[in-house]
Amino acid sequence: MSKAKNIFKIIILSLLGITLLVHFNKLPLQFEYANSIYHHITNNAVKETGSLNFVTAILYDYRAYDSLGESTIIFGAVSGIVLLLSRKTLPVSSHGLSFIVKRTFGMLTPFIFLFGIYIISHGHLSPGGGFQGGVILGSISIIFSIVYGSEFDYKRYSPTTKTLLETSGALLFIGLGLLGIVMGGNFLVNLKILNSGVGSLISAGSIPFINIGIGFKIGAGLAIIFYSMIQKTFKEEVNL
Amino acid sequence: MSITLILLIIVPLATAILIPFVDVFSNKARKVLVGFSTVVEFSIGIFIILTNFDKIIDNSFFLTYYLGGWIPPIGITLSMDMLSLFFSTLISISLLLIVAYSIGFIGHHEGKYYVLLFLIWAAMHGIVLTGDIFNLDVFLELLLITSAPLVAFKRNRNGTEAAIKYMFYGTIGGLFVFIGVVLVYFNLGTLNFAHISQNFGSLSLYIQKTIAFFFLIGIFIKMGIFPFHFWLSKAHSACPSSISALLSGVIVKVYVYVFIRLFWNVIGFDVLVAAGLDHIILVIALISSIIGHVMALYENDIKRTLAYSTVANLGLIIAVLTINTKLALLAGLLHVLSHLLMKVSLFTATGYILQFTPSHKREDIKGVAYKNMLIFVGFTIVAGGMIGLPPMIGFASKWYILKAFMTDGYHLAAIIVLIGSIFAFVYYIKYIITGFKKMSLGPPDKFRLILTVFYREQVVTDIALFFVIAVLITGIFFKVIFGPIEGAVEVMQNSNFYIDYILNI
Amino acid sequence: MIILKYLLIIFLIATAYLAISFKEELISIIFLSIFSITLTTLYLIHNAPDVALAEAVIGAGLNTAIFMTVISQVREGKSIFREDD
Amino acid sequence: MINNLVFVILFLLGFYAILVKKNLIKMVIGLNIMEGAIFYWFISITDRGGMIPIINGTQVTSQMNDPVPQALILTGIVIGASTSAFLLTLIIELNKFTNSTNPDQIGGMIED
């Protein structure tokens, strides 16, 4: 019976596919730019926001409110996961990998951290930004709990420090937004505070600081997600 | 350029972020923070109404806020007109009372519960106020991912199953909405509501139909209309009653707002008429209404019956809206208000009742009326309102729906509404009768584990009774509510009023 | 450059199909991360470096890590069976 | 034309995985493939063959690729990652009760 059901579903899906294909082929081939906002953004993004990377200009200045919603989604996912997986039992350390792996990662971690900070801080100059750099920083804590065992990770960044890091990142982001109101502009306006010429490190108004805020928020958030997930695996072993 | 719009979203967001921060230091401070920010958020809503009360009266109420200081088509704008104000006040009132109810019902030890509740509050205000289509998609996703953990809050098997199904359906709905956003940006190059609706006509009818099709499918999956209603009853019944009140009462109405905003102001209802889609939607919505009532009839669990009656009433609202006459839109919005008040009061009352019974089954509700007569009488009154008996608001909204159907010649739809009311009568009476049955020896009170603390029982009963009284008062003086609803209908019918305000300032 | 693009597209569809058709979960997840990596290179071909970096870090890195932890717990199967509360 | 074809094939592969597969983790993989399909489709149809939208030196801004879809997709990728992370935690929770990841545990997608 289930074979027939599968065939039935395949037929329906292929019919849906054909109609979709026919619909989409009616779309105009070339993306015409009659009144697209793309013109305005590419022509005077550098003047208005000072950031060379237009994608970061859009993400953290023209549509910074989207990124605020975005980082709240991650905050919601983190609190949802901790709500579901939080157990009052004592976390048991996972036994890390072999000695060789531990030694090589001992040398690698500072470079990963440096790379993460580079991606965050150079968001407005080169590809990258708060989101990507934050995930790289988060991956350090993931590597710790895999290679050295979650107890080592617990000692390095205990969950409370991770929560504090995440909340301080979020507060930095919202604070910059509110600072915009205090300084007379609108919420999340690009404060041209330390503007030392286009192209230098601290140049695009409040974009680098929003990047740093989001970077720490996402890094700490992902570390919490991974820690509460991996911590469950080894609780069972101690009981058997 | 009013600051209050952005405060409506930032205050719950900041409290949600501060709660774990404050929780690390002291538990007491968290309770104060939760109470304080609920009151602040509610007072901002009231402040908006009071400051431009005169504008509301003569229908020229419109607030905009340019985020980041960018002019509309470039940046994101927040806009509040009569329609958004109507839904925003509904959200503020019901959220204020649901937070108070959950302080009594859930208690204070669950810090993460309140984080997610405030995130839902911020997401709902974000959806109701936004004037940008991708921002709408981001906040729809935020609403989904913050309400799913609350569906799985009880951490038992039933809750986890319901949450998985809820997440799968919600994410696929979100993907369809995102495809709509992609098509809109590809063809029009802009993301701002007013800018889209201004030159949506310039597209060929074929592409307009595809865009309308994707948004329709996405919204219907999220709303739980007929072909996709499988997840709604499980999700709305597997969570604690304060959350099912939130889900069935308020979150579903936010999706109705998205449906109205997208298909009246942004895409324009004439595109649906030209594509012949409005009759299809009417048929699907009526089928969904019948299925909701029939499934509620066969259901034995009280919360699943209420969830199915949400499916039914939602189908009714969408059906009445698609007729698109002034009276029909008025009846639809009135039913949104009446269904919200009645469903939230039913779920709050059931939450209190179900702590006396071993399970949610109908047989176990026997003799529960004698535990607290006031609450069960309130439950019966509101159940009467859901059927459509006169003094309650349910009668007024059903009356106007029938009038809207009849004046436009949709006699079959009017008959379906009547059949639905009869079904509703049958399945509500089943619960009310078993509730009043005399129990020789009442079930031992060992099930009363939740509300042992006295103050919490008082809070829970007061809020359930408040909603019952609200249903009665609005039922009697429903003429008063017609003012703001007519203003909202006014906004719905001519969207160039919306475009002029955003783009020409 | 065009040939590389079409080659990668074929590879993309192949990994997607293989990620679904295998019975063993671990193999599907490996194919999912290969799917992400091919997607990253395709984004680079389409001149979208930010998206490529994000897809590489999140798609290949994070998703695979999270899927692996889930697999390691789900497959154990001897987790303590909790009755409904 | 080729981009629409790739999108339809990948999107339906993911949709097929969700409808037919008997393993919840496979369904989440199908979901990720659907998301990847949409994002790749959006980038490929708005790719004008222009340059990378970053100014280093004297780039002529009119010959650049459109940066707006890239910003939208960046947000979409992070949303997709957090939703599938949360879905997987729910699957871990479900496994604690049913010791299996068979979608029949959640009564299948079509039955209620």
Side-chain angles (χ1 to χ4, degrees), chain C residues 5-6 9 12-13 15-17 19-25 28-29 32 35 39 42-43 45-51 54-55 58-59 62-63 66-67 69-71 73-75 77-85, chain D residues 2-3 6 9-10 13-14 16-17 21 23 25-26 28-30 32-33 36-37 39-40 43-44 47 49-54 65 70-71 73-74 77-78 81 84-85 88-89 91-93 95-99 101:
Chain C
K5 179 181 150 186
Y6 288 130
I9 284 175
L12 196 72
I13 296 172
T15 32
Y17 175 71
I20 289 169
S21 63
F22 270 95
K23 188 95 192 59
E24 177 65 35
E25 290 141 356
S28 314
I29 287 157
L32 183 69
F35 176 81
L39 215 55
L42 272 168
Y43 287 146
I45 289 172
H46 283 297
N47 283 339
D50 276 80
V51 184
E55 177 66 27
I58 292 171
L62 190 73
N63 268 347
I66 287 182
F67 271 105
T69 21
V70 173
I71 290 275
Q73 298 190 57
V74 163
R75 182 182 294 158
K78 44 191 192 305
S79 59
I80 296 168
F81 190 85
R82 285 206 330 248
E83 70 291 343
D84 287 357
D85 35 349
Chain D
I2 183 81
N3 300 326
V6 169
I9 291 173
L10 285 179
L13 263 177
Y16 168 79
K21 279 300 155 189
N23 181 341
I25 296 173
K26 288 280 179 57
V28 180
I29 289 175
N32 279 7
I33 289 175
F39 298 149
Y40 175 66
I43 286 271
S44 52
D47 171 20
M51 287 173 287
I52 294 176
I54 295 165
N65 255 344
Q70 296 176 18
I73 285 173
L74 226 142
I77 289 177
V78 181
S84 47
L88 288 170
T89 23
I91 290 170
I92 296 173
E93 272 299 306
N95 183 272
K96 290 215 175 354
F97 296 110
T98 60
N99 258 339
T101 58

Side-chain angles (χ1 to χ4, degrees), chain A residues 17 24-25 33 38 54 70, chain D residues 4 7 12 48 64 75 78-79:
Chain A
F24 287 154
N25 286 344
Y33 284 81
Y38 151 75
F54 291 158
E70 174 52 40
Chain D
N4 299 344
F7 163 65
L12 292 181
R48 296 175 62 234
M64 277 192 176
T75 321
V78 181
I79 293 178

